[in-house]
Amino acid sequence: YGTAVETIQKLLERYSADELRSDPDYVDIYRSAMSTLGQASLGLGQYAEAAKALDAALSTAQEMPIERHGLFSRLGETFYHLGDYTRSHHYFTAALDEEQFVPKLHLSPAKTATIRYWLAFVANAQHDFSSARRELDAALTIVKDEQLRKNIETRRRALGD
């Protein structure tokens, strides 16, 4: 991830972010760069940087449900790690809402289940254990991936009835 961050930062040093964001010929490059920078920063645990980069990418993805879905999800994870559970919940819920606009070919049960799994973590952090159980139960009804299913079941058992 470190190399990706350095490369994108060099790009942004050479070209103004405002120029890239506002020029129709470069807006896709800008969005991709900021999304990649956000993902890399998230992977490196640089959550404040991830939030800025992902938010910048989101600002250029108004009519792009596939990109918005992924960005909402990554922003939800970022704000969870920052301890801002209200914003985390907002972004994970936005990702679920965005699914209605994403072509089914680009959605998998694992993506939806993973978002619900994260929503359970958010609810748990807010001491809303009934919501955490509800999200885990919803995830279990759609998940097909066995490893993810085991993770969800373990988490669900820990919360009890």
Side-chain angles (χ1 to χ4, degrees):
Y1 288 124
T3 304
V5 170
E6 290 173 18
T7 302
I8 294 167
Q9 286 173 336
K10 285 179 185 175
L11 172 74
L12 293 174
E13 286 171 9
R14 184 167 183 187
Y15 302 98
S16 158
D18 288 334
E19 287 178 283
L20 292 172
R21 185 177 43 243
S22 62
D23 188 324
D25 293 332
Y26 295 108
V27 70
D28 291 337
I29 294 168
Y30 173 78
R31 181 177 39 263
S32 178
M34 297 311 288
S35 180
T36 301
L37 179 61
Q39 182 68 34
S41 297
L42 179 60
L44 291 169
Q46 299 169 347
Y47 304 120
E49 289 300 316
K52 283 191 265 182
L54 293 169
D55 189 56
L58 183 62
S59 73
T60 66
Q62 291 84 2
E63 301 296 322
M64 307 178 90
I66 297 167
E67 286 82 357
R68 289 172 60 80
H69 180 264
L71 290 165
F72 284 144
S73 182
R74 287 191 294 277
L75 280 160
E77 185 178 347
T78 299
F79 282 106
Y80 175 84
H81 288 296
L82 286 169
D84 188 338
Y85 304 123
T86 300
R87 287 178 79 182
S88 179
H89 184 272
H90 164 77
Y91 282 114
F92 281 128
T93 301
L96 290 176
D97 291 344
E98 195 72 19
E99 287 184 356
Q100 66 183 312
F101 305 109
V102 176
K104 297 298 179 209
L105 175 67
H106 295 281
L107 279 179
S108 71
K111 284 182 183 180
T112 303
T114 299
I115 292 168
R116 294 224 173 258
Y117 186 59
W118 274 106
L119 278 167
F121 276 99
V122 171
N124 192 56
Q126 294 175 317
H127 305 287
D128 183 356
F129 305 115
S130 63
S131 291
R133 285 190 290 274
R134 187 175 53 253
E135 292 298 345
L136 291 171
D137 289 342
L140 284 171
T141 64
I142 57 174
V143 69
K144 306 249 187 283
D145 178 86
E146 282 307 309
Q147 185 57 50
L148 181 57
R149 175 177 289 285
K150 287 177 186 176
N151 292 345
I152 294 169
E153 287 172 343
T154 300
R155 188 79 177 156
R156 180 61 180 89
R157 277 193 300 277
L159 286 170
D161 291 325

